[in-house]
Structure formats: structure tokens, C-alpha cells
Amino acid sequence: MGIQDIEKYIEIYRHDKDVKIINTQPFIIRIKQIGFKQFKKNLHRPYDSLYFNCMERTMVKLLKNKTIGGCNFGYVHHNVIDLVFNYNESPRNYDLLKGARYTTTLYSSLYSSMATNFFNQSLLELIDEQEKLNENRSIPVDLKKYKELLNKAEFVTSVFNLPKNIIYDYLYLQNNLTTETALIETFLCHFSDKERVGKKNEELVKILEDKGIIIKDQPWRFRFGVIGVKTRDNIKTVVKKIQLQKSLSPAGTKKEPSNDYLTITKVLNKDLSGLEEKYIL
């Protein structure tokens, strides 16, 4: 399924706010920070590690939250968090039905509020941690700009069912948009938007290279995002973070699925075997 087909599918949920989510089928909650351009204007460009740490922690807190069960997989990229619900849960698990009366509006309201709360918690935690580290630094990190952002973030949420067999396609498209966004953000640090418009991504890469800027030198999580998987470690619930090290490839065919499709499908099923330890954060 192509990006236009998926977008058309999602539009059904955007236009009908009273449509109910089918809780025994996979659905996605997409959480996006609004007013991001204004919010990040004083942060490091194109990539601010403390901001991304904050988004990662927000994702982890959302995955651990038990308000609505069935979410074991998250994907954070730039100012967006995608949560996949009920991908590997049995329809016979009636605990999944506790939110069966939730419309997209109710889900959106609930998760927008939770994301805002968790983001501010995470930002405050990170500021406190950095202040303690500053006590032993010869040159302390200036935290004023982060303190000014406390309680300033706002999030908007989209909720939609997706057939299980196109969850990977959705993640693939989001991942590739993440890579493109990273390129554009890097380009706009050195050139104007007017110089960007009308150029293909390959042309932007070449222009940056001519200036001595190599996009591949940017951090992986900025270029590809980070996956979170909720799993069990003995008797404790933990969220393991997985660093993507490249753009995902298309799913392939039923007879010859791509390696990325096979790997992400295993991860969606909470199977982390075969992953190199260096990619598990």
C-alpha cells in the first residue's frame, strides 16, 4: 500500500470524530507536537540531544502507561511518537475491550493530555539531571533555554485502525519521511528555504557536501528515529529502545519479504532475538 492509499485510509478517521476504534484489531495513536517550529527556535539546530532524550522518555512513559492496554511498540522520530496497539494481542483477550466505547475524539483527548504531562515530567527530570552534572563540569551546560520551555509543549493526536498487514508499510513511510525531514532540517541550517524549493533530495545532499557538511555524519536517531518495545524482564516490565541505523526498505513480496520487514515484524511481536546488542540502547 502506497503513501496516498494509507493517507486516504487515515482521512476517514480524521473527518469523522465520532467513529469508534475497533479495539480487537491493530490501531495506531500518532502523537505530534504542535507549534514545533516556534518551540525549537532557541534549541540546537538541526539536532538537540536533550530534546530528543525528552521525546524518548515521553515514549517510554506512554508505553508503560496502563490506562489502555495492548500497546507494546512505539516509534519516536523528531516531534512525533507513533504507538502501535494490539498488534500481537489475541482478540480473545477481553481486557482489550475496556476502551471499546472510545471514539477517536476520546482517544485523542486522553493521549494528547498524557503526552503533554509526560513530556513536561521528562523535561524537568533531564534539567535536574543536567544541573547535578553541571556541579562537576568546568564549563556548565546552559539550561536556561530548556527551563523556559517547561509547560510550553502542546501535542495533537490522531487515532486510526490499520490492517495488521500494512502496519509495516506505515512505519516504513514514517521512517522515510523522518530521513527526509532530517535532510531538510540540516539544509535549512545553512541555506534558505528558497534555495531548497524545487530540488530533489540528492541535490540537497550534494549542495551540503560541497559546503563540507556530510548528512551521514548526523546522529542516527536524528536521521532514522528510535523504536521502543515493551517486554518482560523476569517479573518486571521494561521498555527496550532500538536504534535504527539506516532507512527501512520496502516490505518486499509475500514470497520474498525484505530483511527489514522480517526484523520489524519480529520486533512488533516482542521478539528481539537476532538484533545486535549495540543497537539496543
Side-chain angles (χ1 to χ4, degrees):
M1 181 178 281
I3 188 167
Q4 291 182 336
D5 297 321
I6 291 179
E7 285 296 328
K8 286 177 183 177
Y9 190 92
I10 295 171
E11 280 298 309
I12 297 171
Y13 293 87
R14 288 182 182 151
H15 291 305
D16 187 351
K17 298 299 182 183
D18 292 322
V19 66
K20 290 183 180 178
I21 296 298
I22 304 171
N23 286 59
T24 52
Q25 294 180 9
F27 64 97
I28 288 177
I29 294 183
R30 179 175 172 79
I31 303 162
K32 183 177 182 179
Q33 185 181 354
I34 56 176
F36 183 54
K37 186 175 181 180
Q38 178 68 17
F39 184 88
K40 68 172 185 175
K41 68 176 183 179
N42 293 323
L43 300 182
H44 294 292
R45 295 180 61 205
Y47 166 78
D48 190 290
S49 61
L50 193 143
Y51 173 81
F52 203 97
N53 286 339
C54 193
M55 287 295 286
E56 273 189 13
R57 289 196 185 190
T58 301
M59 175 186 70
V60 170
K61 291 176 189 292
L62 287 165
L63 282 169
K64 286 185 174 181
N65 185 269
K66 296 180 180 178
T67 304
I68 298 171
C71 183
N72 298 312
F73 183 98
Y75 176 44
V76 57
H77 42 113
H78 298 290
N79 61 323
V80 177
I81 299 171
D82 285 303
L83 301 175
V84 180
F85 283 73
N86 301 353
Y87 181 88
N88 48 20
E89 302 289 347
S90 168
R92 295 180 182 179
N93 181 355
Y94 290 100
D95 287 343
L96 302 179
L97 297 176
K98 62 184 177 180
R101 295 181 181 179
Y102 279 24
T103 62
T104 57
T105 302
L106 288 172
Y107 271 120
S108 296
S109 176
L110 176 63
Y111 271 84
S112 294
S113 176
M114 282 200 297
T116 300
N117 183 40
F118 289 152
F119 181 91
N120 286 314
Q121 282 182 18
S122 300
L123 183 56
L124 185 58
E125 290 168 3
L126 286 162
I127 290 171
D128 288 344
E129 289 169 15
Q130 289 300 315
E131 284 185 327
K132 289 177 182 177
L133 290 171
N134 274 346
E135 295 173 5
N136 298 312
R137 286 173 173 149
S138 56
I139 303 176
V141 173
D142 183 5
L143 298 170
K144 181 181 177 182
K145 59 188 174 185
Y146 300 107
K147 292 178 180 179
E148 291 173 347
L149 294 177
L150 281 167
N151 301 312
K152 297 286 179 65
E154 294 181 77
F155 292 85
V156 64
T157 302
S158 302
V159 190
F160 44 90
N161 280 109
L162 274 184
K164 188 172 183 176
N165 63 341
I166 64 168
I167 295 289
Y168 177 84
D169 294 313
Y170 174 81
L171 295 171
Y172 159 73
L173 293 170
Q174 296 309 313
N175 172 257
N176 278 262
L177 287 171
T178 299
T179 304
E180 184 175 358
T181 299
L183 172 60
I184 292 171
E185 288 287 327
T186 303
F187 187 87
L188 293 178
C189 286
H190 306 278
F191 301 94
S192 68
D193 194 48
K194 187 176 180 181
E195 293 173 290
R196 177 191 69 84
V197 173
K199 292 183 174 65
K200 296 179 179 179
N201 289 347
E202 295 80 5
E203 295 176 278
L204 300 182
V205 171
K206 179 65 168 60
I207 293 170
L208 286 170
E209 287 178 349
D210 289 344
K211 195 177 174 67
I213 301 156
I214 310 301
I215 188 66
K216 290 182 180 179
D217 291 342
Q218 294 290 351
W220 279 348
R221 63 180 185 169
F222 171 60
R223 294 169 56 211
F224 310 121
V226 170
I227 286 171
V229 182
K230 184 171 68 178
T231 185
R232 300 287 293 179
D233 188 358
N234 294 323
I235 60 172
K236 188 178 179 181
T237 298
V238 296
V239 174
K240 294 194 174 183
K241 293 180 290 184
I242 301 167
Q243 173 62 71
L244 296 174
Q245 72 274 20
K246 65 181 183 65
S247 295
L248 295 177
S249 60
T253 64
K254 213 168 190 179
K255 289 185 177 180
E256 294 185 10
S258 68
N259 288 333
D260 286 343
Y261 172 82
L262 294 173
T263 299
I264 296 299
T265 300
K266 285 175 66 176
V267 173
L268 280 161
N269 284 296
K270 298 189 288 185
D271 180 359
L272 305 185
S273 63
L275 287 175
E276 293 184 52
E277 280 296 321
K278 64 180 179 180
Y279 298 133
I280 300 178
L281 306 178

